[in-house]
Amino acid sequence: MSTIAVEPRQAIQPPDDHPEEVSYLAAGHTVRSWLLTVDHKRIALLYLVSITVMFFIGGFAAVIMRLELATPQGDVLWSADGYNRAFTLHGIVMIFFFLVPSIPATLGNFLIPMMIGAKDLAFPRINLLSWYLYIMAGALALVVLIFGGVDTGWTFYTPFSTMFSNTMVVPAAMAGFIAGFSSILTGLNFIVTVHTMRAPGLTWFRLPLFVWSMYATSLVVILGTPVLAIALALISVERLFHVGIFDPALGGDPVLFQHLFWFYSHPAVYIMILPSMAVMSEIIPCFARRPIFGYRMIAYSSIAIAAIGFIVWGHHMFVSSQSMYAGMVFSMLSFLVAIPSAIKAFNWTLTMYKGSVRLETPMLYALGFIGLFTIGGLTGLMLSTMSTDMHFHDTYFVVAHFHYIMVGGAVMGYLGGIHFWWPKMSGRMYNELLGKLSALTVFIGFNLTFFPQFVLGNLGMPRRYYEYVSEFQFLNVMSSAGASILAVGYILPLFYMLLSLRNPPNAPANPWRATGLEWQTASPPPTHNFHKTPVVTRGPYEYSPEGAEAIDGNLNTAFE
Amino acid sequence: METLTPRSSNPAHVGRSNYDEEPILGVQFDDVEQQHESSIMGMWLFLSTEIMFFGGLIGAYTIYRFMSPGEFALASHHQNVPLGAFNTVVLLASSLTMALGVRAAQLHDHRAIVRWLILTAIFGTMFLGVKAIEYTTDYREHLIPAMGFQVPAEDLEKMPDMNVGRYQMYYVLYFFMTGLHAIHLIIGIGLVLVMAYLSWRHWFSGAGETQIDVTGLYWHFIDIVWVFLYPLLYLISAHASS
Amino acid sequence: MKHHVMPIRTNVEIFIILLVLLFATIGANFMPLGVLHFPVAMLFATIKAVLIFMFFMHLKYSHRYNKVVVVASFLFLGILLVFFMNDYVSRGWFRGYTDYLPVSGVATRPTESTSTGAHLTRPEA
């Protein structure tokens, strides 16, 4: 923080007054200009469109599941097998094709070069390649999952996936493999960009916390994804050649697959949640008009979450034949993750203390995030305790827990971020009233959907079953009703954001009076972001309730 | 797009006079040093993913070998240690020629670049040839899993209570690891030949120093993988207890 | 661009050291080293890898961050191996619920029927 205190307020970048330079959106209107673009902002929009499609496909599978579970008998789907295929579709699409790329590939792609004052990412063509790989993997996955169907769940657990499942496991695994490549290329690009392309004066501790978190995410992607790739390759080889890598009858050990799988897939949870935390650290100071509390601690805690996230995976395997001793080690290490997570939650809360909080749409999403993430995190402690996990394992308690993290945390953060940067990305303001309504609907719908599942899990309802005993029906109906509210909450932003595109560009360069470099250029930004490389002379969150007020949305005080 | 492409692939442009000059600068960069550093760092990060990629396999190998050291030692004795050693020498030699190729690129000596890169590709191909001979022998001795695998009778005699599946597991992992290594090598040979061809055509600016340096990093990494695979797969001690 | 150019002589010297190490590895394989076989082979392989990293791949003259990348990758590979082994080495250390889990399709039970009170004791090796 000292760097912030001693630096005089100086010019970051003169306000953009070059109307002759066209925005990145106007730089070309042909299909070719989009499909062959190397502009990080256009690639971000390509990702935005494709993951939105994926989100609604995955969501549709969830709707089918909740419909099926509204009654104790199996009646909507033709069989238990159909239900298995539905939740596998939901899991694979939502995790590999929505949550993992969601914030990094859209907001990260769009914002990282702008936040560090660069013209583009270090490898623009590799960036485009990663989108094409994503599309290939996504198309393959959709064809396989919709027209073929896979019944293993997104975890591909052996020996079911290798010896018993009669569905298209190998193509689905291949889709995961290719999607992994796509996210590796994105992560690699981010790390190199942050290292080599920062604007003059932009030291590590002047970086926005968004960049810090995204950097930590990229580290996890780089170190974890290849292990998942090899695990998927191994099950494919076992299925194709029947050589028994994980088959006990042929000398294999199924638990080894779980080790390999969770070595990636537990850190993958942090790939999903760290970017949301990145968004929070930008939204909260802006709408509280306060400098972020404990900048360095939040930065370090991102790295700590990434690092500790790698040594806790065994808590998914407490009831496998993993040794008791290993379980105890993993259990203790799992508690450690709570520390950096709590540091963040407390610091965001303290940022708001004595601030002048404005409850606009992004801030509503952010507040929702803090609450839901806290519930998700604390129930995580219950699951990382071995003795209680015996009771909760494979029940709806686990389902509720990880949805609180991944939907209550990651998706709320994603939507908050989209609302926050939509004026920058599209040049348009959305309807604020509808925005607030959507944040509220999502929050209510989400809690109504998933809170009953905590109770259901504690009562003993197992996950992944399509029928249940009739005592559970009341809570299940509640959950299904909540899901329909949640669906409205998700469709609403799609509706009013698309509607806002009908207007001529009406967003000022800095509608939220935020301090980040990305707000110092036009909305939407020109192709190379800045007319001249900005020189940074101060920290990222110089908010104050009185000093930052400006007339036209620009930080006049910042320019001399 | 145009500004980012360092050189048009149009044959008419090939051999332009800026082969020896500073490299063409991508619009996103401020200077060529930044551009070079970024590419090198990008490759190192990619190699880091490769370490974890092979690392998952080495993890599986470690567990199974730990659980059945006897079976693994017995199974590994069918490997041809001298042939493997020869192959290691070949790959180390290819690393030397690659390093000299990178050196030639740093000195903008395009004839030397082409010479060393082609030599590198030849060594790489030689490695694959020897590997093919080894695979053929394994096939004749019924040691390829899923292709008529049989535990040799003499090994069953030596260790009547062996876990046959674990014995085969050694070969599953052997073929998976060496096969993955060979795939990397084939990609490497392709890359090296492309670089040689483009250097020969003077396609690059700045003598392709960055591009050849990055290719070299990838090539040396394949060598490092083999440096670990050789003792892991061939040299499970002759004195191991069974 | 000015980068460190290594003389041909150094390159060849490194190559020769690598060959010597290779033959040392093979030689060690046929020596009666007992349990030390594996550590010795891995030590030689690591030295070879470090030489290739440092000289052939110019890591010695490269940006400091690239060194961090390599060290960190091997560190995380180490984490993977240590925690994998942590599980497999300690299988059966404590008497607990795992004794009742089916293994290879056969349900196994602890040998002593009083095992409920005998938690956290190490079974006979």
Tab-separated table of all heavy atoms in Angstrom, chain A residues 405-428:
chain	number	residue	atom	x	y	z
A	405	ILE	N	-20.407	-23.189	-4.264
A	405	ILE	CA	-19.121	-22.634	-4.709
A	405	ILE	C	-19.173	-22.293	-6.193
A	405	ILE	O	-18.801	-21.212	-6.627
A	405	ILE	CB	-17.972	-23.638	-4.452
A	405	ILE	CG1	-17.822	-23.902	-2.965
A	405	ILE	CG2	-16.665	-23.123	-5.052
A	405	ILE	CD1	-17.229	-22.787	-2.188
A	406	MET	N	-19.645	-23.254	-6.993
A	406	MET	CA	-19.511	-23.087	-8.441
A	406	MET	C	-20.614	-22.218	-9.041
A	406	MET	O	-20.368	-21.506	-9.999
A	406	MET	CB	-19.530	-24.454	-9.126
A	406	MET	CG	-18.313	-25.270	-8.830
A	406	MET	SD	-18.445	-26.777	-9.768
A	406	MET	CE	-17.056	-27.666	-9.165
A	407	VAL	N	-21.815	-22.311	-8.522
A	407	VAL	CA	-22.885	-21.470	-9.066
A	407	VAL	C	-23.013	-20.207	-8.220
A	407	VAL	O	-22.939	-19.086	-8.719
A	407	VAL	CB	-24.222	-22.240	-9.127
A	407	VAL	CG1	-25.273	-21.392	-9.793
A	407	VAL	CG2	-24.032	-23.536	-9.888
A	408	GLY	N	-23.158	-20.397	-6.909
A	408	GLY	CA	-23.259	-19.235	-6.030
A	408	GLY	C	-22.000	-18.402	-6.067
A	408	GLY	O	-22.046	-17.180	-5.981
A	409	GLY	N	-20.845	-19.057	-6.209
A	409	GLY	CA	-19.600	-18.313	-6.292
A	409	GLY	C	-19.252	-17.951	-7.714
A	409	GLY	O	-19.351	-16.798	-8.129
A	410	ALA	N	-18.869	-18.972	-8.509
A	410	ALA	CA	-18.295	-18.694	-9.823
A	410	ALA	C	-19.288	-18.001	-10.761
A	410	ALA	O	-18.949	-17.027	-11.421
A	410	ALA	CB	-17.782	-19.987	-10.445
A	411	VAL	N	-20.547	-18.483	-10.820
A	411	VAL	CA	-21.474	-17.900	-11.791
A	411	VAL	C	-21.911	-16.508	-11.364
A	411	VAL	O	-22.050	-15.604	-12.196
A	411	VAL	CB	-22.688	-18.829	-12.021
A	411	VAL	CG1	-23.627	-18.230	-13.026
A	411	VAL	CG2	-22.222	-20.187	-12.507
A	412	MET	N	-22.107	-16.304	-10.038
A	412	MET	CA	-22.442	-14.954	-9.573
A	412	MET	C	-21.307	-13.994	-9.932
A	412	MET	O	-21.549	-12.855	-10.360
A	412	MET	CB	-22.634	-14.935	-8.050
A	412	MET	CG	-23.866	-15.643	-7.561
A	412	MET	SD	-25.390	-14.773	-7.928
A	412	MET	CE	-25.620	-13.812	-6.454
A	413	GLY	N	-20.073	-14.432	-9.729
A	413	GLY	CA	-18.934	-13.582	-10.061
A	413	GLY	C	-18.891	-13.285	-11.548
A	413	GLY	O	-18.636	-12.150	-11.971
A	414	TYR	N	-19.168	-14.314	-12.332
A	414	TYR	CA	-19.155	-14.148	-13.783
A	414	TYR	C	-20.216	-13.133	-14.210
A	414	TYR	O	-19.942	-12.188	-14.958
A	414	TYR	CB	-19.397	-15.508	-14.434
A	414	TYR	CG	-19.646	-15.468	-15.911
A	414	TYR	CD1	-18.622	-15.160	-16.801
A	414	TYR	CD2	-20.904	-15.761	-16.427
A	414	TYR	CE1	-18.852	-15.131	-18.162
A	414	TYR	CE2	-21.140	-15.739	-17.780
A	414	TYR	CZ	-20.116	-15.415	-18.644
A	414	TYR	OH	-20.346	-15.390	-19.986
A	415	LEU	N	-21.432	-13.307	-13.698
A	415	LEU	CA	-22.502	-12.381	-14.087
A	415	LEU	C	-22.220	-10.979	-13.578
A	415	LEU	O	-22.447	-9.988	-14.280
A	415	LEU	CB	-23.846	-12.883	-13.548
A	415	LEU	CG	-24.439	-14.076	-14.297
A	415	LEU	CD1	-25.704	-14.558	-13.618
A	415	LEU	CD2	-24.724	-13.694	-15.740
A	416	GLY	N	-21.682	-10.888	-12.349
A	416	GLY	CA	-21.321	-9.578	-11.828
A	416	GLY	C	-20.304	-8.908	-12.731
A	416	GLY	O	-20.426	-7.721	-13.069
A	417	GLY	N	-19.309	-9.680	-13.157
A	417	GLY	CA	-18.269	-9.138	-14.025
A	417	GLY	C	-18.824	-8.709	-15.372
A	417	GLY	O	-18.476	-7.642	-15.894
A	418	ILE	N	-19.710	-9.538	-15.935
A	418	ILE	CA	-20.296	-9.181	-17.227
A	418	ILE	C	-21.081	-7.872	-17.103
A	418	ILE	O	-20.989	-6.988	-17.954
A	418	ILE	CB	-21.214	-10.321	-17.740
A	418	ILE	CG1	-20.402	-11.561	-18.081
A	418	ILE	CG2	-22.024	-9.875	-18.947
A	418	ILE	CD1	-19.557	-11.453	-19.310
A	419	HIS	N	-21.832	-7.736	-16.004
A	419	HIS	CA	-22.588	-6.493	-15.826
A	419	HIS	C	-21.655	-5.303	-15.631
A	419	HIS	O	-21.919	-4.207	-16.103
A	419	HIS	CB	-23.540	-6.608	-14.626
A	419	HIS	CG	-24.778	-7.370	-14.921
A	419	HIS	ND1	-24.859	-8.742	-14.808
A	419	HIS	CD2	-26.002	-6.976	-15.348
A	419	HIS	CE1	-26.068	-9.148	-15.139
A	419	HIS	NE2	-26.790	-8.096	-15.481
A	420	PHE	N	-20.552	-5.538	-14.893
A	420	PHE	CA	-19.624	-4.446	-14.601
A	420	PHE	C	-18.949	-3.949	-15.880
A	420	PHE	O	-18.821	-2.754	-16.118
A	420	PHE	CB	-18.591	-4.957	-13.589
A	420	PHE	CG	-17.680	-3.890	-13.045
A	420	PHE	CD1	-18.178	-2.717	-12.506
A	420	PHE	CD2	-16.300	-4.082	-13.046
A	420	PHE	CE1	-17.330	-1.751	-11.974
A	420	PHE	CE2	-15.446	-3.124	-12.518
A	420	PHE	CZ	-15.961	-1.960	-11.992
A	421	TRP	N	-18.490	-4.894	-16.723
A	421	TRP	CA	-17.712	-4.496	-17.896
A	421	TRP	C	-18.529	-4.457	-19.182
A	421	TRP	O	-17.970	-4.192	-20.239
A	421	TRP	CB	-16.496	-5.416	-18.046
A	421	TRP	CG	-15.395	-5.057	-17.080
A	421	TRP	CD1	-14.619	-3.941	-17.123
A	421	TRP	CD2	-14.959	-5.797	-15.944
A	421	TRP	NE1	-13.714	-3.940	-16.075
A	421	TRP	CE2	-13.911	-5.074	-15.335
A	421	TRP	CE3	-15.344	-7.011	-15.365
A	421	TRP	CZ2	-13.247	-5.511	-14.185
A	421	TRP	CZ3	-14.683	-7.446	-14.233
A	421	TRP	CH2	-13.653	-6.692	-13.654
A	422	TRP	N	-19.817	-4.735	-19.091
A	422	TRP	CA	-20.643	-4.693	-20.312
A	422	TRP	C	-20.558	-3.343	-21.023
A	422	TRP	O	-20.390	-3.303	-22.258
A	422	TRP	CB	-22.094	-5.038	-19.971
A	422	TRP	CG	-23.008	-5.059	-21.164
A	422	TRP	CD1	-23.917	-4.123	-21.519
A	422	TRP	CD2	-23.064	-6.080	-22.166
A	422	TRP	NE1	-24.556	-4.478	-22.669
A	422	TRP	CE2	-24.055	-5.681	-23.098
A	422	TRP	CE3	-22.390	-7.282	-22.388
A	422	TRP	CZ2	-24.379	-6.444	-24.212
A	422	TRP	CZ3	-22.712	-8.042	-23.491
A	422	TRP	CH2	-23.690	-7.613	-24.382
A	423	PRO	N	-20.639	-2.221	-20.297
A	423	PRO	CA	-20.525	-0.924	-20.987
A	423	PRO	C	-19.192	-0.801	-21.729
A	423	PRO	O	-19.144	-0.241	-22.826
A	423	PRO	CB	-20.599	0.099	-19.848
A	423	PRO	CG	-21.278	-0.604	-18.733
A	423	PRO	CD	-20.887	-2.044	-18.857
A	424	LYS	N	-18.132	-1.352	-21.133
A	424	LYS	CA	-16.821	-1.279	-21.796
A	424	LYS	C	-16.785	-2.180	-23.021
A	424	LYS	O	-16.279	-1.816	-24.083
A	424	LYS	CB	-15.744	-1.673	-20.783
A	424	LYS	CG	-14.327	-1.594	-21.269
A	424	LYS	CD	-13.936	-0.236	-21.791
A	424	LYS	CE	-13.912	0.836	-20.724
A	424	LYS	NZ	-13.614	2.159	-21.298
A	425	MET	N	-17.377	-3.384	-22.889
A	425	MET	CA	-17.296	-4.349	-23.986
A	425	MET	C	-18.187	-3.956	-25.154
A	425	MET	O	-17.809	-4.093	-26.307
A	425	MET	CB	-17.704	-5.739	-23.491
A	425	MET	CG	-16.762	-6.311	-22.471
A	425	MET	SD	-17.430	-7.771	-21.675
A	425	MET	CE	-16.768	-9.043	-22.693
A	426	SER	N	-19.406	-3.475	-24.839
A	426	SER	CA	-20.376	-3.250	-25.912
A	426	SER	C	-20.567	-1.770	-26.201
A	426	SER	O	-21.130	-1.413	-27.220
A	426	SER	CB	-21.727	-3.845	-25.501
A	426	SER	OG	-22.254	-3.083	-24.437
A	427	GLY	N	-20.161	-0.905	-25.272
A	427	GLY	CA	-20.420	0.520	-25.441
A	427	GLY	C	-21.845	0.913	-25.095
A	427	GLY	O	-22.260	2.025	-25.376
A	428	ARG	N	-22.599	-0.028	-24.502
A	428	ARG	CA	-24.001	0.266	-24.191
A	428	ARG	C	-24.267	0.076	-22.707
A	428	ARG	O	-23.667	-0.786	-22.058
A	428	ARG	CB	-24.952	-0.691	-24.932
A	428	ARG	CG	-25.352	-0.236	-26.306
A	428	ARG	CD	-24.349	-0.703	-27.303
A	428	ARG	NE	-24.811	-0.560	-28.675
A	428	ARG	CZ	-24.013	-0.778	-29.716
A	428	ARG	NH1	-22.741	-1.127	-29.540
A	428	ARG	NH2	-24.477	-0.648	-30.933
